[in-house]
Each structure stands twice: as structure tokens, then as C-alpha cells.
Amino acid sequence: MKKAIAGVAAAAVIACFLYVHRDWPLCWRLQRQGVATTGWVIGKSDAKQRRVYYAFSARQKIYTETGEGGYGNPSFGGLSEGDKVTVYYLPSDPAVSMLGLPEERLLRQHAAMAWTLLLAGAVVAWVFRREIRRQAP
């Protein structure tokens, strides 16, 4: 039983890690190698998806992409078509971009991962404590 619980806890931690850090490599790369520029909102999805369509200019070309509000820009609800937003992109490949500040995204991801690890640690401690009590004479 304890192997099953430990397996489930490990799987949950791995799943949370992968979900929370799904865009971590991009954030990290843009934070270190990216260039900030001013872009503009060209549209928004419905309130359920909460996607922001944005454009920016680099190398005498206009690039378009989708992203999330916030992270140094106004939140989704505070953005309107034509609003100026901060965009980070890679100078070597401007098609790789992100809406908002990469460091703010990384901070949120690190906080979420810390909470995940604390919760996983509490579950593991609870399982071992229960097993120790069960095996006590």
C-alpha cells in the first residue's frame, strides 16, 4: 500500500512540475537572451480562453503571436485592441517571443513549484508517519 501511495505522490509531483514548468525553458531563454520591445494588442479571444493576440516589429518585419495578459502588462480584462504591451523576443529569431516579462513568469513558476514540493513533502511525511505508527508495538 505504501508503495502505491508513494508512486501516486511521485507521479503527482512530476505532473505538477511538468505542467508548471511547461514554458520554463522559453522564459529562461528570453530572460537571458531576449530583447524587450513595445508591441501592441491586435485582438483578444473570448473570456474563457483569455488569449491576447499581439504584434511587434523587429528587423523591419511585423511578427504576430498569442499570449497571456499580466506579467508586467495589464491583465486580460484590462487590455484592449491597440494597447501598447511589453514583448520579449530573441534577436536571433524574432519569431520566438513572449508577452510580458519573463522574470515575472519565472517567479510565478518557482512559487508554484515550491508549493508543490511542500505539499508532496507533507504527503510523504504523513504516509511514513502512518506506517511507523502501524508498525509500532
Side-chain angles (χ1 to χ4, degrees):
M1 179 67 172
K2 68 180 171 182
K3 285 185 181 181
I5 292 173
V8 168
V13 168
I14 290 169
C16 286
F17 179 84
L18 293 175
Y19 175 76
V20 169
H21 285 73
R22 66 190 179 282
D23 61 350
W24 185 86
L26 175 61
C27 293
W28 184 83
R29 192 169 172 206
L30 285 170
Q31 182 185 22
R32 282 164 178 64
Q33 301 169 359
V35 172
T37 190
T38 300
W40 59 95
V41 176
I42 57 174
K44 290 171 40 175
S45 68
D46 60 21
K48 186 176 180 181
Q49 290 183 331
R50 304 181 65 81
R51 302 299 294 169
V52 177
Y53 303 98
Y54 65 94
F56 65 98
S57 177
R59 293 182 170 178
Q60 291 112 18
K61 184 177 175 186
I62 303 286
Y63 293 87
T64 61
E65 190 56 73
T66 63
E68 301 174 52
Y71 306 107
N73 289 317
S75 65
F76 177 83
L79 288 170
S80 299
E81 194 169 323
D83 286 353
K84 294 192 182 311
V85 289
T86 299
V87 176
Y88 269 75
Y89 70 93
L90 292 178
S92 60
D93 184 6
V96 177
S97 68
M98 178 177 283
L99 193 57
L101 306 173
E103 52 273 359
E104 286 198 21
R105 288 179 182 272
L106 287 170
L107 284 174
R108 182 194 71 164
Q109 289 179 2
H110 291 154
M113 193 58 211
W115 282 109
T116 301
L117 291 174
L118 284 172
L119 179 61
V123 168
V124 169
W126 176 78
V127 168
F128 282 121
R129 181 176 173 220
R130 196 176 96 188
E131 285 300 315
I132 289 171
R133 282 186 175 177
R134 244 202 244 162
Q135 293 176 8

